[in-house]
């Protein structure tokens, strides 16, 4: 997954100073961004006023799109440092290739988890023969300082734990929820869970009071802590809850993201998460000269060129505007 903006703006994020200590309702407006040849995503994080949710630092929601007569997702090889990517689908298929030699088709409710660490490159595409509907989310997790130079890795988990109850089920994507743990490697206290609610479901989901949370609505209208949230929206919830009330009028689906507020201050630019502008500039130069990131074999097309660095210095500070 990539930020394909040809003029990406630097984003300063991290730090605990601006994390609300109690529950809030903060609706994050999406920004429509083209991704590859024929996919348009709704970018929900980072947003104008909110940069992170725990270690989650990037959220795109796309679809449901009819791609029966379209190429679907076509994201050329591009680099990452300092983060993990999470591929999550409700419909369709995405073929992942990376510079480690990984080749994996990710399908609905399967976890594709790539740890960039010090450096990796990958591509993502809809297979040549693909389902007609594409619908999913693309997510990044910032790596803490002690792990951001770790060896790159890719994991695929097709069988994830499920927490269920009357009228709902929750697939644990990453981290822990209500005693269930994802097999995906996590480097900070975190949770990602896909919740399916049946019509009329009225649920009180147990959550961690020290975590901050946000909910991305994938389909249907869900009442989250008393607030109705339309599909394709994201509601930031703050900290301080022990349970999260959820209610569905009609079948609905959402992705719950949470974690301990991320203490370190970061700078994000293009597809890099780092601590200084100098690190970003060095990663861009390495990608441009063909150093460090390796090659992605098998993608039909050239790698993505790096955009020009911004004129202003990149500086890590703060997590909200």
């Amino acid at each position: 997954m990539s930020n394909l903006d040809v003029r990406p703006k630097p984003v300063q994020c991290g730090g605990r100073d601006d994390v609300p200590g109690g529950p809030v309702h903060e609706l994050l407006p999406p920004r429509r961004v083209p991704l590859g040849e024929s996919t348009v995503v709704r970018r929900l994080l980072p947003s104008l006023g909110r940069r992170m949710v725990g270690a989650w630092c990037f959220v795109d929601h796309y679809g449901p799109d009819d791609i029966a007569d379209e190429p679907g997702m076509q994201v050329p090889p591009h680099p990452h440092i300092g983060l993990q990517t999470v591929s999550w689908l409700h419909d369709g298929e995405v073929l992942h290739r990376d510079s480690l030699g990984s080749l994996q088709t990710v399908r609905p409710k399967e976890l594709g988890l790539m740890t960039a660490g010090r450096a990796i490159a990958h591509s993502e595409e809809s297979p040549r023969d693909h389902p007609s509907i594409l619908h999913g989310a693309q997510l990044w997790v910032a790596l803490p300082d002690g792990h951001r130079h770790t060896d790159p890795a890719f994991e695929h988990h097709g069988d994830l734990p499920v927490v269920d109850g009357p009228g709902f089920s929750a697939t644990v994507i990453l981290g822990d929820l209500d005693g269930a743990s994802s097999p995906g490697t996590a480097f900070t206290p975190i949770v990602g869970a896909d919740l399916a609610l049946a019509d009329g479901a009225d649920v009180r989901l147990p959550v961690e009071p020290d975590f901050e949370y946000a909910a991305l609505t994938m389909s249907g209208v869900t009442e989250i802590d008393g607030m109705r949230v339309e599909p394709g929206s994201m509601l930031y919830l703050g900290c301080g809850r022990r349970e999260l009330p959820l209610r569905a009028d009609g079948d609905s689906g959402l992705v719950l993201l949470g974690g301990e507020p991320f203490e370190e201050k970061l700078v994000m630019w293009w597809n890099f998460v780092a601590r200084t502008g100098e690190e970003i500039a060095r990663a861009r130069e390495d990608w441009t000269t063909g150093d460090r990131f390796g090659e992605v074999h098998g993608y039909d097309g050239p790698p993505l060129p790096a955009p020009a660095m911004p004129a202003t210095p990149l500086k890590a500070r703060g997590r909200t505007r």
Side-chain angles (χ1 to χ4, degrees):
M1 62 201 69
S2 175
N3 179 3
L4 300 188
D5 193 339
V6 296
R7 294 184 180 86
K9 295 181 180 179
V11 177
Q12 294 82 33
C13 50
R16 294 172 179 255
D17 292 345
D18 297 302
V19 178
V24 299
H25 291 157
E26 187 179 301
L27 193 63
L28 305 182
R31 180 167 59 95
R32 294 179 68 83
V33 178
L35 184 70
E37 297 178 8
S38 58
T39 303
V40 175
V41 303
R42 289 170 288 277
R43 183 147 301 156
L44 295 145
L45 204 67
S47 69
L48 183 62
R50 182 62 52 188
R51 306 306 192 194
M52 297 182 74
V53 178
W56 301 98
C57 60
F58 184 94
V59 176
D60 276 353
H61 174 238
Y62 54 91
D65 295 325
D66 186 346
I67 60 169
D69 299 316
E70 303 288 342
M73 182 179 291
Q74 299 292 322
V75 181
H78 58 278
H80 287 292
I81 63 168
L83 56 85
Q84 293 177 290
T85 67
V86 175
S87 298
W88 189 251
L89 290 170
H90 273 201
D91 296 285
E93 296 178 350
V94 172
L95 179 62
H96 166 98
R97 306 176 192 265
D98 63 42
S99 51
L100 300 175
S102 309
L103 178 64
Q104 179 65 54
T105 300
V106 180
R107 297 181 173 86
K109 303 300 178 76
E110 298 179 352
L111 172 61
L113 176 65
M114 187 180 76
T115 300
R118 62 177 179 270
I120 199 170
H122 75 142
S123 65
E124 292 171 300
E125 59 188 304
S126 298
R128 186 181 303 275
D129 297 320
H130 54 257
S132 60
I133 302 298
L134 181 64
H135 183 203
Q138 307 203 42
L139 316 163
W140 294 358
V141 180
L143 290 173
D145 190 59
H147 296 282
R148 66 193 183 97
H149 299 299
T150 192
D151 292 341
F154 178 75
E155 303 172 36
H156 174 253
H157 300 286
D159 187 14
L160 297 171
V162 175
V163 175
D164 51 24
F168 89 100
S169 67
T171 302
V172 185
I173 303 168
L174 199 63
D176 303 283
L177 179 72
D178 197 22
S181 298
S182 165
T185 302
F187 295 92
T188 58
I190 196 170
V191 66
D194 185 277
L195 277 62
L197 280 71
D199 182 15
D202 195 345
V203 178
R204 304 189 78 85
L205 187 71
V207 294
E208 297 291 333
D210 293 337
F211 280 18
E212 59 178 339
Y213 288 94
L216 164 64
T217 51
M218 299 284 288
S219 59
V221 177
T222 308
E223 189 175 288
I224 304 170
D225 196 26
M227 184 171 180
R228 288 175 62 84
V229 185
E230 300 289 332
S233 302
M234 187 163 162
L235 182 66
Y236 177 73
L237 294 157
C239 300
R241 289 178 172 81
R242 294 188 179 277
E243 58 182 17
L244 180 63
L246 301 168
R247 187 174 175 277
D249 291 327
D251 295 345
S252 66
L254 59 96
V255 172
L256 181 70
L257 304 174
E260 285 189 359
F262 199 82
E263 185 171 8
E264 302 167 44
K265 294 182 180 180
L266 312 172
V267 58
M268 288 174 51
W269 179 82
W270 196 39
N271 293 296
F272 306 136
V273 172
R275 300 308 187 272
T276 67
E278 291 76 15
E279 289 178 44
I280 297 281
R282 189 160 55 249
R284 181 197 179 278
E285 179 67 16
D286 288 346
W287 175 247
T288 301
T289 58
D291 294 334
R292 179 176 168 190
F293 290 96
E295 293 185 40
V296 178
H297 298 287
Y299 183 85
D300 185 15
L304 199 64
M309 291 286 291
T312 55
L314 302 182
K315 187 177 180 181
R317 62 175 185 271
R319 60 182 293 117
T320 60
R321 186 174 61 152

CSV table of all heavy atoms in Angstrom, one decimal, residues 98-128:
chain,number,residue,atom,x,y,z
A,98,ASP,N,7.0,-8.6,-2.9
A,98,ASP,CA,7.9,-7.7,-2.2
A,98,ASP,C,9.4,-8.1,-2.6
A,98,ASP,O,9.6,-9.1,-3.2
A,98,ASP,CB,7.7,-7.6,-0.7
A,98,ASP,CG,7.9,-9.0,0.0
A,98,ASP,OD1,8.8,-9.7,-0.3
A,98,ASP,OD2,7.0,-9.3,0.9
A,99,SER,N,10.3,-7.3,-2.1
A,99,SER,CA,11.7,-7.4,-2.4
A,99,SER,C,12.3,-8.6,-1.6
A,99,SER,O,13.5,-8.9,-1.8
A,99,SER,CB,12.5,-6.1,-2.2
A,99,SER,OG,12.2,-5.6,-0.9
A,100,LEU,N,11.6,-9.2,-0.7
A,100,LEU,CA,12.1,-10.4,-0.1
A,100,LEU,C,11.8,-11.6,-0.9
A,100,LEU,O,12.2,-12.8,-0.6
A,100,LEU,CB,11.4,-10.6,1.3
A,100,LEU,CG,11.6,-9.5,2.3
A,100,LEU,CD1,10.7,-9.8,3.6
A,100,LEU,CD2,13.0,-9.4,2.7
A,101,GLY,N,11.0,-11.5,-2.0
A,101,GLY,CA,10.6,-12.6,-2.8
A,101,GLY,C,9.2,-13.1,-2.5
A,101,GLY,O,8.8,-14.1,-3.1
A,102,SER,N,8.5,-12.5,-1.6
A,102,SER,CA,7.1,-12.9,-1.2
A,102,SER,C,6.2,-12.7,-2.4
A,102,SER,O,6.3,-11.7,-3.1
A,102,SER,CB,6.6,-12.1,0.0
A,102,SER,OG,7.5,-12.1,1.1
A,103,LEU,N,5.3,-13.7,-2.6
A,103,LEU,CA,4.2,-13.6,-3.6
A,103,LEU,C,3.0,-14.3,-2.9
A,103,LEU,O,3.0,-15.5,-2.6
A,103,LEU,CB,4.6,-14.4,-4.8
A,103,LEU,CG,3.6,-14.5,-5.9
A,103,LEU,CD1,3.3,-13.1,-6.5
A,103,LEU,CD2,4.0,-15.4,-7.0
A,104,GLN,N,2.0,-13.4,-2.6
A,104,GLN,CA,0.9,-13.9,-1.8
A,104,GLN,C,-0.4,-13.2,-2.3
A,104,GLN,O,-0.5,-12.0,-2.3
A,104,GLN,CB,1.1,-13.7,-0.3
A,104,GLN,CG,-0.1,-14.1,0.5
A,104,GLN,CD,-0.3,-15.6,0.5
A,104,GLN,OE1,0.7,-16.3,0.8
A,104,GLN,NE2,-1.5,-16.0,0.2
A,105,THR,N,-1.5,-14.0,-2.5
A,105,THR,CA,-2.8,-13.4,-2.8
A,105,THR,C,-3.5,-13.3,-1.4
A,105,THR,O,-3.6,-14.3,-0.7
A,105,THR,CB,-3.6,-14.3,-3.7
A,105,THR,OG1,-2.9,-14.4,-5.0
A,105,THR,CG2,-5.0,-13.7,-4.0
A,106,VAL,N,-3.9,-12.1,-1.1
A,106,VAL,CA,-4.7,-11.8,0.1
A,106,VAL,C,-6.2,-11.7,-0.2
A,106,VAL,O,-6.6,-11.0,-1.1
A,106,VAL,CB,-4.2,-10.5,0.8
A,106,VAL,CG1,-5.0,-10.3,2.1
A,106,VAL,CG2,-2.7,-10.6,1.1
A,107,ARG,N,-7.0,-12.5,0.6
A,107,ARG,CA,-8.4,-12.6,0.3
A,107,ARG,C,-9.2,-12.0,1.5
A,107,ARG,O,-8.6,-11.8,2.6
A,107,ARG,CB,-8.8,-14.0,0.0
A,107,ARG,CG,-8.1,-14.5,-1.3
A,107,ARG,CD,-8.5,-16.0,-1.6
A,107,ARG,NE,-8.0,-16.4,-2.9
A,107,ARG,CZ,-6.8,-16.9,-3.1
A,107,ARG,NH1,-6.0,-17.1,-2.0
A,107,ARG,NH2,-6.4,-17.2,-4.3
A,108,PRO,N,-10.5,-11.9,1.4
A,108,PRO,CA,-11.3,-11.3,2.5
A,108,PRO,C,-11.1,-12.0,3.8
A,108,PRO,O,-11.0,-13.3,3.9
A,108,PRO,CB,-12.7,-11.5,2.0
A,108,PRO,CG,-12.6,-11.3,0.5
A,108,PRO,CD,-11.3,-12.1,0.2
A,109,LYS,N,-10.9,-11.2,4.9
A,109,LYS,CA,-10.8,-11.7,6.3
A,109,LYS,C,-9.5,-12.4,6.5
A,109,LYS,O,-9.4,-13.2,7.5
A,109,LYS,CB,-12.0,-12.5,6.7
A,109,LYS,CG,-13.3,-11.7,6.6
A,109,LYS,CD,-13.4,-10.5,7.4
A,109,LYS,CE,-14.7,-9.7,7.3
A,109,LYS,NZ,-15.8,-10.3,8.0
A,110,GLU,N,-8.5,-12.2,5.6
A,110,GLU,CA,-7.1,-12.8,5.8
A,110,GLU,C,-6.2,-11.6,6.1
A,110,GLU,O,-6.4,-10.5,5.5
A,110,GLU,CB,-6.6,-13.5,4.6
A,110,GLU,CG,-7.5,-14.7,4.2
A,110,GLU,CD,-7.0,-15.4,3.0
A,110,GLU,OE1,-6.1,-14.9,2.3
A,110,GLU,OE2,-7.5,-16.5,2.7
A,111,LEU,N,-5.2,-11.8,6.9
A,111,LEU,CA,-4.2,-10.8,7.3
A,111,LEU,C,-3.0,-10.8,6.4
A,111,LEU,O,-2.3,-11.8,6.4
A,111,LEU,CB,-3.9,-10.9,8.7
A,111,LEU,CG,-2.7,-10.0,9.2
A,111,LEU,CD1,-3.1,-8.5,9.1
A,111,LEU,CD2,-2.4,-10.3,10.7
A,112,GLY,N,-2.7,-9.8,5.6
A,112,GLY,CA,-1.5,-9.6,5.0
A,112,GLY,C,-0.7,-8.5,5.8
A,112,GLY,O,-1.1,-7.3,5.8
A,113,LEU,N,0.4,-8.9,6.4
A,113,LEU,CA,1.1,-8.0,7.3
A,113,LEU,C,2.6,-7.9,6.9
A,113,LEU,O,3.3,-8.9,6.9
A,113,LEU,CB,1.0,-8.5,8.8
A,113,LEU,CG,1.8,-7.8,9.8
A,113,LEU,CD1,1.2,-6.4,10.0
A,113,LEU,CD2,1.7,-8.6,11.2
A,114,MET,N,3.0,-6.7,6.5
A,114,MET,CA,4.4,-6.5,6.1
A,114,MET,C,5.1,-5.6,7.1
A,114,MET,O,4.6,-4.5,7.3
A,114,MET,CB,4.4,-5.9,4.7
A,114,MET,CG,5.8,-5.8,4.1
A,114,MET,SD,5.9,-5.1,2.5
A,114,MET,CE,5.6,-3.4,2.8
A,115,THR,N,6.2,-6.1,7.6
A,115,THR,CA,7.0,-5.2,8.5
A,115,THR,C,8.1,-4.7,7.7
A,115,THR,O,9.0,-5.4,7.2
A,115,THR,CB,7.6,-6.1,9.7
A,115,THR,OG1,6.5,-6.6,10.4
A,115,THR,CG2,8.4,-5.2,10.6
A,116,ALA,N,8.1,-3.4,7.4
A,116,ALA,CA,9.2,-2.7,6.6
A,116,ALA,C,10.5,-2.7,7.3
A,116,ALA,O,11.5,-2.9,6.7
A,116,ALA,CB,8.7,-1.3,6.2
A,117,GLY,N,10.5,-2.4,8.6
A,117,GLY,CA,11.7,-2.3,9.4
A,117,GLY,C,12.6,-1.3,8.7
A,117,GLY,O,12.2,-0.2,8.4
A,118,ARG,N,13.9,-1.7,8.5
A,118,ARG,CA,14.9,-0.7,8.0
A,118,ARG,C,14.6,-0.4,6.5
A,118,ARG,O,15.0,0.7,6.0
A,118,ARG,CB,16.3,-1.3,8.1
A,118,ARG,CG,16.6,-2.6,7.4
A,118,ARG,CD,18.0,-3.0,7.6
A,118,ARG,NE,18.3,-4.3,6.9
A,118,ARG,CZ,18.2,-5.5,7.5
A,118,ARG,NH1,17.8,-5.6,8.7
A,118,ARG,NH2,18.4,-6.6,6.8
A,119,ALA,N,14.0,-1.3,5.7
A,119,ALA,CA,13.8,-1.0,4.3
A,119,ALA,C,13.2,-2.2,3.6
A,119,ALA,O,13.6,-3.4,3.8
A,119,ALA,CB,15.1,-0.6,3.6
A,120,ILE,N,12.1,-2.0,2.8
A,120,ILE,CA,11.5,-3.0,2.0
A,120,ILE,C,10.8,-2.3,0.8
A,120,ILE,O,10.5,-1.1,0.9
A,120,ILE,CB,10.5,-3.9,2.8
A,120,ILE,CG1,10.2,-5.2,2.0
A,120,ILE,CG2,9.2,-3.2,3.0
A,120,ILE,CD1,9.5,-6.2,2.9
A,121,ALA,N,10.6,-3.0,-0.3
A,121,ALA,CA,9.8,-2.5,-1.4
A,121,ALA,C,8.7,-3.6,-1.7
A,121,ALA,O,8.9,-4.8,-1.5
A,121,ALA,CB,10.6,-2.2,-2.6
A,122,HIS,N,7.6,-3.1,-2.1
A,122,HIS,CA,6.5,-4.1,-2.5
A,122,HIS,C,5.6,-3.4,-3.6
A,122,HIS,O,5.6,-2.2,-3.8
A,122,HIS,CB,5.7,-4.5,-1.3
A,122,HIS,CG,4.8,-3.5,-0.7
A,122,HIS,ND1,3.5,-3.9,-0.2
A,122,HIS,CD2,4.8,-2.2,-0.6
A,122,HIS,CE1,2.9,-2.9,0.3
A,122,HIS,NE2,3.7,-1.8,0.1
A,123,SER,N,4.8,-4.3,-4.2
A,123,SER,CA,3.7,-3.9,-5.1
A,123,SER,C,2.4,-4.5,-4.7
A,123,SER,O,2.4,-5.6,-4.0
A,123,SER,CB,4.1,-4.2,-6.5
A,123,SER,OG,4.1,-5.6,-6.7
A,124,GLU,N,1.3,-4.0,-5.1
A,124,GLU,CA,0.0,-4.5,-4.8
A,124,GLU,C,-0.9,-4.4,-6.1
A,124,GLU,O,-0.9,-3.3,-6.7
A,124,GLU,CB,-0.7,-3.8,-3.7
A,124,GLU,CG,0.0,-4.1,-2.3
A,124,GLU,CD,-0.5,-3.2,-1.2
A,124,GLU,OE1,-0.4,-2.0,-1.4
A,124,GLU,OE2,-1.1,-3.8,-0.3
A,125,GLU,N,-1.6,-5.5,-6.4
A,125,GLU,CA,-2.4,-5.4,-7.6
A,125,GLU,C,-3.5,-6.4,-7.5
A,125,GLU,O,-3.4,-7.4,-6.8
A,125,GLU,CB,-1.5,-5.7,-8.9
A,125,GLU,CG,-0.9,-7.1,-8.8
A,125,GLU,CD,0.1,-7.3,-10.0
A,125,GLU,OE1,-0.3,-7.2,-11.1
A,125,GLU,OE2,1.3,-7.7,-9.7
A,126,SER,N,-4.6,-6.0,-8.2
A,126,SER,CA,-5.7,-7.0,-8.4
A,126,SER,C,-5.2,-8.1,-9.4
A,126,SER,O,-4.6,-7.7,-10.4
A,126,SER,CB,-6.9,-6.4,-8.9
A,126,SER,OG,-7.4,-5.4,-8.0
A,127,PRO,N,-5.4,-9.4,-9.1
A,127,PRO,CA,-4.9,-10.4,-10.0
A,127,PRO,C,-5.6,-10.2,-11.4
A,127,PRO,O,-6.6,-9.6,-11.5
A,127,PRO,CB,-5.3,-11.7,-9.4
A,127,PRO,CG,-5.5,-11.4,-7.9
A,127,PRO,CD,-5.9,-10.0,-7.9
A,128,ARG,N,-5.0,-10.8,-12.4
A,128,ARG,CA,-5.5,-10.6,-13.8
A,128,ARG,C,-7.0,-11.1,-13.8
A,128,ARG,O,-7.8,-10.5,-14.4
A,128,ARG,CB,-4.6,-11.4,-14.8
A,128,ARG,CG,-5.1,-11.2,-16.2
A,128,ARG,CD,-4.2,-12.0,-17.1
A,128,ARG,NE,-2.8,-11.7,-17.0
A,128,ARG,CZ,-2.2,-10.7,-17.6
A,128,ARG,NH1,-2.9,-9.9,-18.4
A,128,ARG,NH2,-0.9,-10.4,-17.4
